Amino acid sequence: MKLIPSNNKLFTEVVTLLHSAKSQVLRTVNQTMVMTYFEIGRMLIEEEQGGEERAKYGKETIKGLSKVLTREFGKGFSVTNLKQMRNFYLVYGKGQTASADFLKKGQAVSAYLEQHNSKTQLSKTKSQKEHRFLLSWSHYLKLMRIDNLSERQFYEIESRKNNWSVRELNRQYDSALYTRLVLSRDKAEVQELSKKGHILEKPKDVIKDPYILEFLGLPELPNYSENDLEQEIINKLEHFLLELGNGFTFVARQKRISLDDTHFRIDLVFYNRILKCFVLIDLKIGELKHQDLGQMQMYVNYYDRELRLEDENKTIGIVLCQNKRESVVEYTLPENNEQIFASKYQTILPSKEELKSIIDKEENTI
């Protein structure tokens, strides 16, 4: 019997099909579970409606239901977990579209999914709008603790778009990603964040201030060199790319450019596939100086004139520094500047006091 070669196209296609099927099964199971928890939460809320006496009865019902479900299905249905399902419905119930309407009519989750899947074939855009729960239950346990609706919607969209793990969602939330993006946008653009997530349309959309680099493991005090900072970024490049945002790919470190008989080195070079442009980053320990911005302007000019292709957009330059004076940035760069930016970085997560200060600043400026 002749064996089919191991590199046969059929082998590859079957393996790919099975991986795809496995992923689809996991997504379907996950969505069914989350929708089931939502439905349980709805039932518990309805049980508690009808006055204070009924609410007390509802609390006793949760305890009894926990015993029954634990005996029937095992772990996962403690009183605490059932209360989380109840809270899940309280948080997301008002914002539901067609999916909530189906559930409120008492349809089973399986019937909902069957109807939803048939709609998927008719209108992908419409079904995406209706199908709200596309993340894991662990994601929603984190998300429903975010009180601000716009902020919660932003993190939900970004988790889905970027395939964030729960750990990465926690990290982005702890580093106040939403607040940092809000600070650089006007009111209309802030509303877009909650509807579409972080969309890159112009160079300024790339910028965060500050950048949070706590994953590098460096202390806050300036007892390390720029080389140390650069090396740790390279060592943890995957984390740094996540902090930079959507569409970034790494190109080079210490990229040498030569002007006459003088050589210069750009610390880090990236390319953003969405904006279709190079992004140059220079790292500075301590206070930002006007010479740092001038040097970055030279790097950007060189890339635009010598390396940029005709179908690519103008190069972006970012100087990452520990501290900066806005007046230095304002008067060093031209008024119509759209290419050179200066942002602070922190090597530890912001404290509660720092986050409060950022939020207070946001409320006063938007």
Side-chain angles (χ1 to χ4, degrees):
M1 179 179 176
K2 185 177 179 181
L3 295 175
I4 301 176
S6 59
N7 62 349
N8 189 279
K9 182 181 177 182
L10 173 65
F11 283 23
T12 303
E13 290 178 347
V14 170
V15 169
T16 301
L17 176 63
L18 288 174
H19 279 305
S20 177
K22 183 178 179 181
S23 298
Q24 182 62 40
V25 168
L26 290 174
R27 282 195 298 269
T28 301
V29 169
N30 175 68
Q31 292 169 14
T32 303
M33 183 181 73
V34 174
M35 285 304 304
T36 300
Y37 290 170
F38 181 85
E39 172 71 349
I40 292 173
R42 180 192 67 79
M43 293 175 175
L44 291 173
I45 291 296
E46 291 185 352
E47 184 70 17
E48 294 177 11
Q49 291 176 349
E52 183 179 348
E53 184 176 333
R54 189 68 176 173
K56 291 181 180 179
Y57 172 74
K59 292 178 182 178
E60 292 301 317
T61 299
I62 289 181
K63 294 180 182 178
L65 181 61
S66 172
K67 292 180 181 178
V68 171
L69 294 180
T70 300
R71 184 170 60 248
E72 184 75 17
F73 299 102
K75 295 180 180 180
F77 297 97
S78 65
V79 170
T80 297
N81 289 347
L82 290 177
K83 287 181 177 179
Q84 288 173 333
M85 297 173 201
R86 175 187 178 277
N87 190 46
F88 184 41
Y89 181 80
L90 286 174
V91 171
Y92 280 92
K94 292 181 180 179
Q96 282 302 102
T97 53
S99 59
D101 295 334
F102 292 142
L103 291 171
K104 287 176 182 177
K105 290 176 183 176
Q107 293 186 16
V109 176
S110 58
Y112 160 74
L113 288 174
E114 181 179 351
Q115 188 164 357
H116 171 75
N117 288 336
S118 65
K119 287 188 174 186
T120 301
Q121 304 301 322
L122 298 175
S123 173
K124 183 178 180 182
T125 302
K126 185 176 179 182
S127 75
Q128 286 176 338
K129 209 174 176 185
E130 292 177 350
H131 199 138
R132 190 175 185 85
F133 305 129
L134 300 176
L135 299 171
S136 74
W137 176 240
S138 297
H139 282 86
Y140 287 110
L141 287 177
K142 172 65 180 181
L143 289 167
M144 63 185 175
R145 293 199 295 271
I146 302 175
D147 295 329
N148 183 290
L149 176 60
S150 296
E151 186 175 10
R152 183 169 67 244
Q153 289 175 336
F154 167 80
Y155 283 112
E156 185 174 2
I157 292 169
E158 288 298 300
S159 294
R160 188 168 65 244
K161 280 171 46 179
N162 299 301
N163 197 29
W164 283 350
S165 65
V166 175
R167 180 178 180 180
E168 183 59 29
L169 169 60
N170 283 324
R171 193 247 153 205
Q172 296 288 0
Y173 177 78
D174 289 344
S175 68
L177 173 61
Y178 176 77
T179 302
R180 287 184 284 145
L181 291 175
V182 160
L183 290 175
S184 63
R185 285 159 171 75
D186 60 30
K187 192 170 183 179
E189 290 176 323
V190 170
Q191 292 175 347
E192 288 296 298
L193 280 177
S194 66
K195 295 176 182 178
K196 301 179 181 178
H198 188 196
I199 303 297
L200 302 184
E201 296 177 338
K202 53 186 181 295
K204 190 177 180 181
D205 294 337
V206 170
I207 307 304
K208 300 173 186 174
D209 193 10
Y211 286 84
I212 307 299
L213 310 180
E214 94 293 343
F215 52 84
L216 299 180
L218 292 169
E220 181 68 8
L221 297 175
N223 57 354
Y224 50 86
S225 67
E226 291 169 3
N227 287 337
D228 293 333
L229 179 60
E230 179 188 321
Q231 185 59 54
E232 287 304 317
I233 286 175
I234 295 299
N235 290 345
K236 298 181 179 178
L237 187 58
E238 181 181 356
H239 297 277
F240 188 66
L241 287 171
L242 285 171
E243 176 61 15
L244 285 179
N246 298 333
F248 280 91
T249 57
F250 177 66
V251 177
R253 66 181 295 194
Q254 291 297 306
K255 175 66 175 179
R256 192 178 82 167
I257 61 176
S258 301
L259 304 178
D260 297 327
D261 58 349
T262 305
H263 304 299
F264 301 89
R265 293 186 180 273
I266 306 170
D267 290 338
L268 299 168
V269 179
F270 295 88
Y271 191 84
N272 189 280
R273 296 179 295 110
I274 299 173
L275 292 180
K276 293 185 178 180
C277 68
F278 286 103
V279 179
L280 315 180
I281 295 180
D282 237 11
L283 307 170
K284 300 297 177 184
I285 300 296
E287 184 91 21
L288 177 74
K289 300 178 178 62
H290 71 275
Q291 294 96 324
D292 300 327
L293 295 171
Q295 185 177 48
M296 178 55 75
Q297 182 70 70
M298 179 183 68
Y299 293 161
V300 165
N301 290 343
Y302 180 88
Y303 259 75
D304 278 348
R305 298 171 190 177
E306 302 296 332
L307 299 176
R308 180 167 67 96
L309 301 178
E310 289 185 5
D311 62 340
E312 292 178 327
N313 292 312
K314 289 186 176 181
T315 304
I316 298 172
I318 305 174
V319 181
L320 280 185
C321 56
Q322 283 182 303
N323 202 1
K324 66 174 181 176
R325 286 176 290 177
E326 293 298 337
S327 58
V328 172
V329 178
E330 179 182 355
Y331 289 106
T332 301
L333 298 175
E335 291 184 0
N336 60 348
N337 168 63
E338 292 184 351
Q339 289 184 264
I340 311 296
F341 302 91
S343 290
K344 293 191 292 185
Y345 67 85
Q346 293 180 220
T347 56
I348 59 173
L349 283 173
S351 65
K352 291 182 179 179
E353 291 74 20
E354 288 174 312
L355 287 178
K356 186 178 184 302
S357 175
I358 293 175
I359 293 170
D360 289 342
K361 180 181 176 183
E362 167 200 339
E363 292 175 347
N364 292 331
T365 55
I366 296 177

